[in-house]
Amino acid sequence: MPDTALPSVLFVCVHNAGRSQMAAAFLTHLAGDRVQVRSAGSAPADSVNPAVVAAMAEVGIDVSAEVPKVLTVEAVQASDVVITMGCGDTCPVFPGKRYLDWQLPDPAGQGVEAVRPIRDDIERRIRGLLDEIAPKG
């Protein structure tokens, strides 16, 4: 059973194949068990973008086994912070949740060279978020 005392973050993009997968992987990697991490897409793809898998492997994070998941109302309700990345009006909004919208280029259809700067921007944002929601004690 999850520890409800832990802050929980949900990352949402359209396909849950790129940006939200990278963000969830970075937060899981950097936070360990200090944060509950979820990701989902409003229209999930069949698989994670291969360029995203390659770009994350370059920084030592394996997302090859991840599977895009559909965004559910329950996932939003169970999260303290919901970070959207270009899902527009398809993200359900509930009172009492903190919403952040990160404007990031969509890596869909891009090669690994184009994904690297998106990956690095996401990592920088995740480090700032982590310092805010779960600072090291």
Side-chain angles (χ1 to χ4, degrees), residues 1 12 33 35 38 40-41 43 69-70 85 101 125 128-129:
M1 190 165 119
V12 182
D33 58 4
V35 179
R38 299 177 182 86
K69 294 169 281 306
V70 69
M85 304 170 177
D101 186 46
R125 292 171 187 244
L129 176 72

Side-chain angles (χ1 to χ4, degrees), residues 22 25-26 28-30 52-64 119-120 123 127:
M22 287 190 283
F26 271 124
T28 300
H29 179 75
L30 295 169
V52 165
V53 173
M56 293 301 286
E58 290 176 352
V59 295
I61 299 174
D62 181 6
V63 297
S64 62
R119 173 200 67 200
D120 296 344
E123 180 181 14
R127 288 182 183 278

Side-chain angles (χ1 to χ4, degrees), residues 89-100:
D89 296 334
T90 60
C91 296
V93 175
F94 292 96
K97 304 292 176 194
R98 179 171 172 209
Y99 289 88
L100 300 172

